[in-house]
Amino acid sequence: MKFGVSTFMTDEGLRPGELARALEERGLDSLFVAEHTHIPVSAADLPDDDLPPRDYYRAADPFVTLAVAAAATERLILGTGIALAVQRDPITLAKEAATLDQVSGGRFQLGVGAGWIREEMRNHGTDPRTRMALMRERMLAVKEIWTSERAEFHGEFVDFDPIFSWPKPVQSPHLPILVGGNGPTVFDRVLEYGDGWAPNLPGTPEELLDQVAELQKRAAERGRGPIPVTLIGAPLDERELGKLAEGGIQHCTFYRDAAAPKDEALRYLDKLVALTEKFRDH
């Protein structure tokens, strides 16, 4: 199994380079950075989960912070967990992601999702009712830009004639797209344009593993091999991690408080090392 951290990067706590170096020095595998461009005041009643609401309000851009992390490390997997594709122009997103793959030497994974704060989407000109169809076209267009010298796309929401766009991703045929989410139609998206699934824990490890079994069954029916799964927000419990390891989950990331002072943040990373050590070679 691989283990890492999933976090917002903010103007508080460890800087991106500090955090990335600390992860790599401890033998952890990855850094995934979440995204909110802003939080509308009308949507400030955020859910009760493992991430402090302050992190949502103060979130920095994930691509900029991951570029800093890339410069500070040599082997750390870098990913968005997740980038809000319905709030990003697909031509720009393709260039940002490919550039990050270039500067990191092929270490970037693009986790994408449609988001859930409807007011935030509307401020970007996105109609929440059509966000899934919009994300589908944008990600298909991104893949076309990555893999074609003269890329073009004609859809309901994304429409452009042939374009030149470089750089292309280092990874072949392109960098991985991890589709986030736990909804009833997420597997349709994973199987159409994803290279992996990046769910949150839906409740218990057993529930997640049941879902993974269904995904792999559907992938096999389409002639695809096993779909890699990266869990965003793994449990801080050795017994539950053991169940995930036995069930074949390849990659787990743990939430952290972005505003934690340096000493507290480093102690938390040391705790993750101790918690995950027995599963590293599973």
Side-chain angles (χ1 to χ4, degrees), residues 3-97:
F3 295 97
V5 160
S6 181
T7 185
F8 286 101
M9 294 303 306
T10 74
D11 57 338
E12 302 176 314
L14 290 177
R15 304 295 84 214
E18 287 183 302
L19 175 59
R21 281 191 298 272
L23 289 165
E24 187 162 275
E25 288 167 358
R26 285 162 174 76
L28 293 167
D29 300 293
S30 64
L31 171 61
F32 281 77
V33 177
E35 175 173 45
H36 279 292
T37 57
H38 66 287
I39 299 297
V41 173
S42 60
D45 185 18
L46 294 167
D48 181 18
D49 63 13
D50 295 322
L51 288 172
R54 188 178 183 87
D55 290 359
Y56 286 79
Y57 300 149
R58 304 184 77 96
D61 182 86
F63 290 90
V64 175
T65 55
L66 285 170
V68 174
T73 56
E74 295 181 356
R75 63 162 190 82
L76 199 69
I77 297 167
L78 306 167
T80 49
I82 49 92
L84 298 174
V86 302
Q87 299 176 188
R88 288 183 168 272
D89 174 85
I91 299 174
T92 302
L93 176 58
K95 183 174 289 288
E96 287 176 327

Side-chain angles (χ1 to χ4, degrees), residues 109-164:
Q109 300 183 4
L110 178 61
V112 297
W116 55 274
I117 301 179
R118 292 172 182 268
E119 295 89 340
E120 182 183 11
M121 299 174 205
R122 291 190 181 101
N123 287 346
H124 285 277
T126 293
D127 183 345
R129 295 171 298 180
T130 58
R131 67 189 186 277
M132 294 304 180
L134 172 65
M135 184 168 74
R136 173 186 178 273
E137 288 193 8
R138 287 187 174 176
M139 297 319 302
L140 291 174
V142 164
K143 292 178 72 172
E144 179 67 17
I145 293 168
W146 286 342
T147 56
S148 299
E149 181 175 339
R150 297 169 180 260
E152 66 177 300
F153 192 91
H154 302 287
E156 180 181 357
F157 303 98
V158 179
D159 188 15
F160 55 85
D161 290 329
I163 63 171
F164 293 119

Side-chain angles (χ1 to χ4, degrees), residues 46-271:
L46 294 167
D48 181 18
D49 63 13
D50 295 322
L51 288 172
R54 188 178 183 87
D55 290 359
Y56 286 79
Y57 300 149
R58 304 184 77 96
D61 182 86
F63 290 90
V64 175
T65 55
L66 285 170
V68 174
T73 56
E74 295 181 356
R75 63 162 190 82
L76 199 69
I77 297 167
L78 306 167
T80 49
I82 49 92
L84 298 174
V86 302
Q87 299 176 188
R88 288 183 168 272
D89 174 85
I91 299 174
T92 302
L93 176 58
K95 183 174 289 288
E96 287 176 327
T99 301
L100 187 47
D101 201 45
Q102 284 276 340
V103 301
S104 68
R107 291 185 281 142
F108 181 55
Q109 300 183 4
L110 178 61
V112 297
W116 55 274
I117 301 179
R118 292 172 182 268
E119 295 89 340
E120 182 183 11
M121 299 174 205
R122 291 190 181 101
N123 287 346
H124 285 277
T126 293
D127 183 345
R129 295 171 298 180
T130 58
R131 67 189 186 277
M132 294 304 180
L134 172 65
M135 184 168 74
R136 173 186 178 273
E137 288 193 8
R138 287 187 174 176
M139 297 319 302
L140 291 174
V142 164
K143 292 178 72 172
E144 179 67 17
I145 293 168
W146 286 342
T147 56
S148 299
E149 181 175 339
R150 297 169 180 260
E152 66 177 300
F153 192 91
H154 302 287
E156 180 181 357
F157 303 98
V158 179
D159 188 15
F160 55 85
D161 290 329
I163 63 171
F164 293 119
S165 179
W166 268 262
K168 303 300 185 185
V170 171
Q171 299 174 77
S172 180
H174 54 72
L175 63 94
I177 294 174
L178 311 183
V179 179
N182 295 77
T185 61
V186 67
F187 294 164
D188 296 334
R189 298 188 287 279
V190 174
L191 293 170
E192 181 177 12
Y193 55 80
D195 303 289
W197 183 33
N200 303 114
L201 194 66
T204 66
E206 290 84 357
E207 290 175 274
L208 177 63
L209 294 176
D210 286 345
Q211 292 179 344
V212 171
E214 175 62 23
L215 172 61
Q216 307 302 8
K217 175 177 177 290
R218 289 182 57 179
E221 290 171 351
R222 290 197 178 199
R224 290 187 59 172
I227 304 293
V229 177
T230 298
L231 177 58
I232 305 295
L236 291 166
D237 181 279
E238 182 176 323
R239 182 170 172 272
E240 293 190 334
L241 286 177
K243 293 178 181 178
L244 295 171
E246 291 295 334
I249 301 299
Q250 298 94 341
H251 196 162
C252 289
T253 67
F254 301 91
Y255 290 138
R256 72 164 197 124
D257 181 353
K262 182 174 182 177
D263 289 349
E264 179 183 330
L266 295 180
R267 285 195 300 272
Y268 178 70
L269 298 187
D270 290 336
K271 176 183 176 181

